[in-house]
Amino acid sequence: MQATEIKSLAKDLGADQVGIIGADTLEAFPPDPRWPQTPGRISPHSKSVIVLGKQIPSGAFRLRMGTADRYQNNLVIRRIERIAAALSASLEERGHPTFTVITNETDWSLKRGTYGYLSTRHLAAEAGLGTIGLNLNLVTPEFGSRVQFAAVQSELELEPDQPMAEQVCVGEGCSRCSYCCPPDAVGHFSLAKRDCATCAQVYGYAQLTAHLANVMQDENIDALDEIWTPRNLNHWLAMTRVAGCYGACMRCLAVCPVGVDYTANLAEAHSDIPEKTPEKVAKAKNFKNARKAGAEVPGLNDYNIRWVGPDGYTGQAAKEYRKTHKRIQE
Ligand code: B12
Ligand code: SF4
Ligand code: SF4
């Protein structure tokens, strides 16, 4: 089977984006070499990794209820996982051993806390679907950051795609993802992950265990009164509907101005960023000056720049995509 055949098969199954990476490239460039997320750790037989992207619909970013949008987000994750599983099955039927990479789970053998088996954002960057943005989200010319990823590992050898040289994220001069971030977790191509998790994982594992420990240890709390509470209901919903254990904050996705979907459906709704403060604006200015002056920035070092886009931002990638999109529409 050829790469083009796999790509049209994945698109027929419902993927919006498809890219292919050679397993050897991923062995050579793990996202963080201190805790290497590499396909060979999962299966030594894999030759290729196929990464799939699914857009989060614009409607999800035009809601008023914070509780509803976290369902939308997780519906997309489940959908892209099912598409990956279907693609795996299809390749198996054609005689190529293939499996779906676990998407949002944590490999504790690598690192305590939340850390994927493979980092799907890095897979997408490596396959040329977009580049890593100021807040570490993957920014694509089509959908900005409003896209979720899944991947399959296959023993089939395929022609790989190449990473983009151009930075798709507008960068420090934009900083909208930093302005909107409720806990001010966005750094300079880095993220204060624990701070982000207070919003993105409101009913996550850390919150659940902290809550249980509190109920068990605090003598002033009547454990029976603590059973029938909105908070416990939300933890139950997080377990049964995967809503709120992750994906509970959508702000940095909503305001990212890159993408045809943003121009068409979101620009007006998100032109104003209520969380923007003078302090955040000053922080962005400092980042801009630091980059201009060539200061040392860990997120932009010689190793990480591969996924950020070594040529910097020119706006060309998004422009080209808009042109193609217009032609298709016409
Ligand atoms: C753990 C996790 C989280 C954690 C930690 C996030 C993180 N950056 O790692 C928390 C809870 C904070 C989180 C939050 C969110 N997440 Co999340 N998350 C994941 C998960 C499960 C694993 C991520 C992982 O393994 N990271 C590994 C490390 C290596 O990646 P990294 O931190 O980006 O590494 C770079 C930086 O550390 C940087 N760097 C900066 N400074 C320095 C300094 C040094 C010395 C070094 C070495 C490196 C370095 O370089 C590294 C390499 O480039 C993935 C799914 C997956 N399997 O990939 C989803 C995923 C990344 N999440 C996703 C999303 C959408 C979100 C949220 C928007 C919430 C939501 N609505 O779903 C927020 C956004 C936060 C953000 N701006 O990044 C999507 C991303 C989609 C996209 N378009 O990018 C993913 C891919 C899920 C999916 N199935 O699609 N998430
Ligand atoms: S998900 Fe929310 S808290 Fe996390 S970086 Fe984005 S805006 Fe900030
Ligand atoms: S909001 Fe702006 S700075 Fe943030 S990721 Fe999108 S383009 Fe980059």
Side-chain angles (χ1 to χ4, degrees):
M1 279 186 96
Q2 301 293 317
T4 44
E5 225 177 311
I6 302 273
K7 287 182 183 175
S8 56
L9 177 59
K11 290 214 169 158
D12 287 347
L13 289 168
D16 294 319
Q17 294 186 309
V18 195
I20 295 169
I21 320 128
D24 48 352
T25 305
L26 298 172
E27 296 298 325
F29 298 103
D32 189 332
R34 293 171 297 181
W35 301 284
Q37 293 162 300
T38 50
R41 292 183 68 253
I42 308 172
S43 165
H45 308 292
S46 299
K47 302 267 186 331
S48 306
V49 176
I50 305 162
V51 56
L52 309 173
K54 186 84 198 153
Q55 182 198 2
I56 307 173
S58 296
F61 299 100
R62 294 171 61 83
L63 299 173
R64 287 203 169 160
M65 290 176 66
T67 45
D69 56 12
R70 72 179 71 139
Y71 282 93
Q72 305 299 324
N73 187 45
N74 281 295
L75 285 173
V76 176
I77 294 182
R78 288 186 209 178
R79 175 123 167 75
I80 191 66
E81 281 177 335
R82 279 202 298 272
I83 294 168
L87 179 66
S88 268
S90 263
L91 294 185
E92 281 271 338
E93 276 167 22
R94 290 165 168 85
H96 310 291
T98 304
F99 64 91
T100 308
V101 178
I102 303 170
T103 305
N104 268 25
E105 280 71 7
T106 282
D107 183 354
W108 274 55
S109 67
L110 271 184
K111 200 176 170 187
R112 204 162 163 266
T114 43
Y115 204 72
Y117 283 81
L118 292 182
S119 170
T120 48
R121 278 189 296 211
H122 289 84
L123 298 183
E126 203 64 64
L129 302 184
T131 59
I132 287 196
L134 184 79
N135 63 354
L136 298 188
N137 279 330
L138 203 275
V139 187
T140 68
E142 297 95 316
F143 317 117
S145 294
R146 293 164 293 277
V147 53
Q148 300 276 14
F149 300 105
V152 305
Q153 279 188 213
S154 179
E155 295 186 24
L156 181 62
E157 196 146 10
L158 289 163
E159 175 74 26
D161 293 301
Q162 298 303 319
M164 293 170 82
E166 186 197 334
Q167 177 185 314
V168 180
C169 160
V170 181
E172 299 85 343
C174 165
S175 288
R176 287 173 62 86
C177 53
S178 171
Y179 298 155
C180 76
C181 179
D184 195 11
V186 177
H188 199 184
F189 289 88
S190 69
L191 180 76
K193 295 180 188 179
R194 274 169 201 254
D195 292 346
C196 168
T198 59
C199 290
Q201 300 188 323
V202 270
Y203 296 106
Y205 182 69
Q207 280 73 10
L208 174 65
T209 48
H211 173 55
L212 290 177
N214 190 29
V215 171
M216 286 189 284
Q217 282 164 8
D218 191 334
E219 285 170 6
N220 298 319
I221 292 180
D222 183 335
L224 282 179
D225 284 348
E226 273 301 312
I227 288 175
W228 199 251
T229 63
R231 181 180 176 143
N232 284 347
L233 173 66
N234 277 320
H235 278 300
W236 180 76
L237 288 171
M239 284 188 255
T240 54
R241 301 283 297 157
V242 206
C245 60
Y246 50 75
C249 179
M250 305 271 273
R251 286 298 288 148
C252 53
L253 305 181
V255 303
C256 182
V258 182
V260 180
D261 60 337
Y262 187 84
T263 319
N265 304 322
L266 303 172
E268 210 186 317
H270 293 290
S271 64
D272 180 44
I273 300 179
E275 304 92 339
K276 188 170 170 179
T277 62
E279 290 76 20
K280 287 179 181 173
V281 174
K283 185 170 90 171
K285 251 191 202 142
N286 286 340
F287 288 160
K288 198 173 173 180
N289 292 338
R291 190 161 187 185
K292 230 180 173 172
E296 242 178 70
V297 178
L300 294 170
N301 66 21
D302 288 349
Y303 191 72
N304 286 322
I305 200 76
R306 175 182 184 84
W307 301 295
V308 174
D311 289 357
Y313 178 72
T314 64
Q316 213 36 44
K319 204 169 151 194
E320 281 307 312
Y321 187 79
R322 272 199 299 276
K323 268 202 250 162
T324 320
H325 182 72
K326 208 169 158 206
R327 261 204 314 276
I328 295 168
Q329 274 193 324
E330 275 165 9

